[in-house]
């Protein structure tokens, strides 16, 4: 039979959570932290490549250096404040500002700038953008894959011509108050820091040039700061040794009676989230299928219950104590094991391109995990090590069943 928590253990656990909560509150806005990816960040690099009569031309590059968190549709947006307050964007390629601002008040009888806002907000262009408005690595609709999945598609870039600005390294003023949305809250950005100018290598690798001036901005993500209103996924459990299937907790993402947009599977009308006891658009089922002398075998099914959305380039992160020492194999998907902190063992899984990298609406993806046993390991079914500790889908933590609801191991086992 599985282990139960005593009242004292519950109180101790509650006290622990309180300390964690107070610890998170002590973070300043520039110290966002993700324990699963402590070194992951969004780095914004601003390279001044030439001066103009009233300013400069710069290439801005956004790199997603996060292991598992990607930027999904409708994509990223970037905001900053001009330090002098009088700068304008004359022209831009590879992105656009969401507002032009009141340029006619300052510029009469001449062509107007692209944006006169003191705090412009920029978004990526769509893939069908005309060629003369593109630059390399632009125009992906704001979508960036995670660094682990596809480094080549984890970068975005745009070029802008800034006017009414400094025209030398000493007179140019670095923007401030950068904010990165992807597409919602969760990221905090530090101040721009002037760094060594970027070196550019020509396509034929025969010539190297460098930027006139470069500054970097680092933005980090925090689950706590994101303050997500509702979860987006949940987990159900089953095993070979117990006939009981533990469903997703009721009202994990919403309650059915309070959501009038859910539909039954046999209607096919007014597509939205499928009616269920948990009302989550994504459900993950973990089935412990086999316990052998040398290994455990687990079948995992990810179901898309959202009738309006396909999940392209999805990924899932699983925390389990047996994801260590290369003792694990995953069949049917790509995967990577990593240990961000001592005692935290993770596996990131994602789809194979043109096979199952798109989780289609009302569809599912299945795969198998093989846990090879270590003779020195203390892991056993008796301690519920057959089940994951946490699961994250596209970076969002899934709602797990409570520990006392896990399938029981029969006494005779």
């Amino acid at each position: 039979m599985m282990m139960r928590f005593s009242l004292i253990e519950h109180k101790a656990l509650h006290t622990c959570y309180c300390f964690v909560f107070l610890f998170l509150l002590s973070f300043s806005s520039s110290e966002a932290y993700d324990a699963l990816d402590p070194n992951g960040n969004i780095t914004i690099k601003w390279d001044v490549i030439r001066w103009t009569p009233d300013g400069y031309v710069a290439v801005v590059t956004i790199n997603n250096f996060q292991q598992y968190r990607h930027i999904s549709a409708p994509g990223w947006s970037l905001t900053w404040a001009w330090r002098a307050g009088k700068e304008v964007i004359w022209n831009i390629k590879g992105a656009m500002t969401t507002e032009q601002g009141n340029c006619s008040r300052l510029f009469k009888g001449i062509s107007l700038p692209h944006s006169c806002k003191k705090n412009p907000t920029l978004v990526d262009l769509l893939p069908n953008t005309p060629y003369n408005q593109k630059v390399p690595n632009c125009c992906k609709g704001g979508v960036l894959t995670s660094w682990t999945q596809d480094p080549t598609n984890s970068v975005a870039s745009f070029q802008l011509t800034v006017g009414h600005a400094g025209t030398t390294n000493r007179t140019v003023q670095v923007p401030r108050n950068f904010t990165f949305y992807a597409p919602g809250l969760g990221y905090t950005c530090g101040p721009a820091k002037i760094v060594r100018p970027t070196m550019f290598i020509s396509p034929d690798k025969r010539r190297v040039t460098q930027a006139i001036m470069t500054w970097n901005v680092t933005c980090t993500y925090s689950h706590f700061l994101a303050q997500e209103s509702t979860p987006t996924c949940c987990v159900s459990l089953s095993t070979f040794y117990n006939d009981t299937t533990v469903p997703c907790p009721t009202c994990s993402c919403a309650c059915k009676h309070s959501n009038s947009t859910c539909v039954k599977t046999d209607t096919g009308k007014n597509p939205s989230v499928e009616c269920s006891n948990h009302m989550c658009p994504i459900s993950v089922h973990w089935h412990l299928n086999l316990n052998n002398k040398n290994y455990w075998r687990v079948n995992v099914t990810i179901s898309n219950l959202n009738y309006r959305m396909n999940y392209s380039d999805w990924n899932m992160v699983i925390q389990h104590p047996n994801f260590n020492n290369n003792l694990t194999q995953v069949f049917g998907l790509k995967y990577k094991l990593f240990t961000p902190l001592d005692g935290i063992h993770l596996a990131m899984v994602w789809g194979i391109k043109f096979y199952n990298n798109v989780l289609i609406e009302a569809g599912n993806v299945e795969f198998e995990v093989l846990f090879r046993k270590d003779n020195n390991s203390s892991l056993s079914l008796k301690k519920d090590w057959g089940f994951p500790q946490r699961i994250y889908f596209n970076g969002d933590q899934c709602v797990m069943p409570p520990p006392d609801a896990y399938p029981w191991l029969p006494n005779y086992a």
Side-chain angles (χ1 to χ4, degrees):
M1 185 177 296
M2 67 167 289
M3 298 176 64
R4 304 279 182 166
F5 288 115
S6 68
L7 180 60
I8 296 176
E9 287 172 320
H10 273 296
K11 288 182 177 180
L13 187 62
H14 176 74
T15 303
C16 177
Y17 282 142
C18 289
F19 277 117
V20 171
F21 179 74
L22 292 174
F23 174 72
L24 289 170
L25 284 179
S26 68
F27 275 92
S28 70
S29 62
S30 61
E31 295 175 317
Y33 179 75
D34 184 354
L36 297 186
D37 190 11
N39 298 316
N41 65 71
I42 298 288
T43 297
I44 303 164
K45 184 177 64 171
W46 193 300
D47 292 309
V48 176
I49 57 174
R50 66 176 180 271
W51 303 114
T52 63
D54 71 334
Y56 58 86
V57 176
V59 173
V60 180
T61 305
I62 302 173
N63 284 286
N64 181 12
F65 290 130
Q66 298 175 109
Q67 292 275 5
Y68 68 91
R69 185 174 299 280
H70 66 234
I71 312 303
S72 57
W76 59 265
S77 62
L78 178 65
T79 301
W80 66 81
W82 294 116
R83 187 172 294 272
K86 61 182 181 179
E87 295 94 336
V88 298
I89 299 176
W90 282 112
N91 184 39
I92 186 169
K93 290 183 177 182
M96 67 177 181
T97 60
T98 56
E99 295 182 64
Q100 183 183 33
N102 187 7
C103 294
S104 59
R105 182 176 61 86
L106 300 173
F107 301 89
K108 300 182 182 297
I110 58 175
S111 58
L112 298 179
H114 178 83
S115 175
C116 301
K117 296 281 292 185
K118 293 183 179 180
N119 53 342
T121 297
L122 274 72
V123 295
D124 197 8
L125 298 180
L126 299 176
N128 61 353
T129 297
Y131 183 78
N132 62 354
Q133 297 177 27
K134 289 185 175 182
V135 296
N137 294 317
C138 84
C139 312
K140 303 171 184 176
V143 175
L144 299 177
T145 62
S146 67
W147 178 255
T148 300
Q149 282 177 266
D150 187 358
T152 59
N153 283 313
S154 66
V155 58
S157 186
F158 57 88
Q159 178 180 299
L160 70 168
T161 302
V162 181
H164 289 202
T167 56
T168 67
N169 290 50
R170 292 186 177 182
T171 59
V172 70
Q173 297 194 49
V174 177
R176 59 184 177 181
N177 298 338
F178 282 84
T179 305
F180 185 80
Y181 300 97
L185 299 173
Y187 289 89
T188 55
C189 301
K193 297 181 179 180
I194 297 176
V195 296
R196 182 177 299 177
T198 301
M199 310 297 288
F200 301 101
I201 303 176
S202 63
D204 61 5
K205 299 182 180 181
R206 299 178 62 191
R207 176 174 167 79
V208 177
T209 59
Q210 73 174 45
I212 299 172
M213 188 178 184
T214 298
W215 56 82
N216 282 352
V217 177
T218 302
C219 305
T220 51
Y221 182 87
S222 167
H223 291 279
F224 178 74
L225 294 175
Q227 296 181 344
E228 295 161 329
S229 57
T230 57
T232 59
C233 58
C234 64
V235 179
S236 58
L237 306 170
S238 62
T239 74
F240 67 92
Y241 57 75
N242 194 313
D243 293 335
T244 302
T245 296
V246 179
C248 285
T250 302
C251 297
S252 293
C253 300
C255 293
K256 185 165 59 174
H257 64 79
S258 66
N259 191 325
S260 60
T261 61
C262 75
V263 294
K264 297 181 180 179
T265 56
D266 58 352
T267 63
K269 299 179 181 180
N270 298 322
S272 59
V273 176
E274 181 180 310
C275 292
S276 64
N277 69 314
H278 53 79
M279 291 304 299
C280 292
I282 295 292
S283 69
V284 179
H285 184 69
W286 181 282
H287 177 66
L288 184 57
N289 188 38
L290 182 65
N291 180 28
N292 194 295
K293 179 180 179 181
N294 298 316
Y295 60 85
W296 299 332
R297 184 179 291 274
V298 176
N299 298 101
V300 183
T301 303
I302 308 171
S303 298
N304 180 6
L305 306 180
N306 190 335
Y307 282 62
R308 288 180 177 172
M309 182 175 178
N310 294 333
Y311 292 87
S312 300
D313 296 319
W314 60 272
N315 70 58
M316 190 168 75
V317 174
I318 307 167
Q319 182 179 343
H320 193 284
N322 213 37
F323 284 132
N324 62 349
N325 299 328
N326 295 323
L327 299 179
T328 309
Q329 285 184 293
V330 177
F331 302 95
L333 296 175
K334 293 184 177 181
Y335 71 99
K336 180 182 179 180
L337 306 179
F338 52 100
T339 304
L341 298 171
D342 282 345
I344 297 181
H345 303 291
L346 306 174
M348 175 177 165
V349 297
W350 64 96
I352 300 170
K353 197 171 184 63
F354 304 123
Y355 175 56
N356 55 8
N357 66 312
V358 178
L359 182 55
I360 63 173
E361 58 186 43
N364 61 69
V365 171
E366 298 182 6
F367 63 97
E368 287 190 343
V369 180
L370 192 67
F371 291 121
R372 297 193 183 279
K373 293 183 177 179
D374 184 351
N375 293 331
N376 299 321
S377 175
S378 62
L379 306 182
S380 70
L381 295 180
K382 186 176 180 180
K383 297 180 180 180
D384 291 329
W385 291 125
F387 302 112
Q389 295 168 315
R390 291 184 181 88
I391 288 180
Y392 298 80
F393 182 82
N394 279 356
D396 296 331
Q397 185 171 347
C398 300
V399 178
M400 299 284 297
D404 59 358
Y406 281 25
W408 293 2
L409 185 67
N411 291 329
Y412 64 80

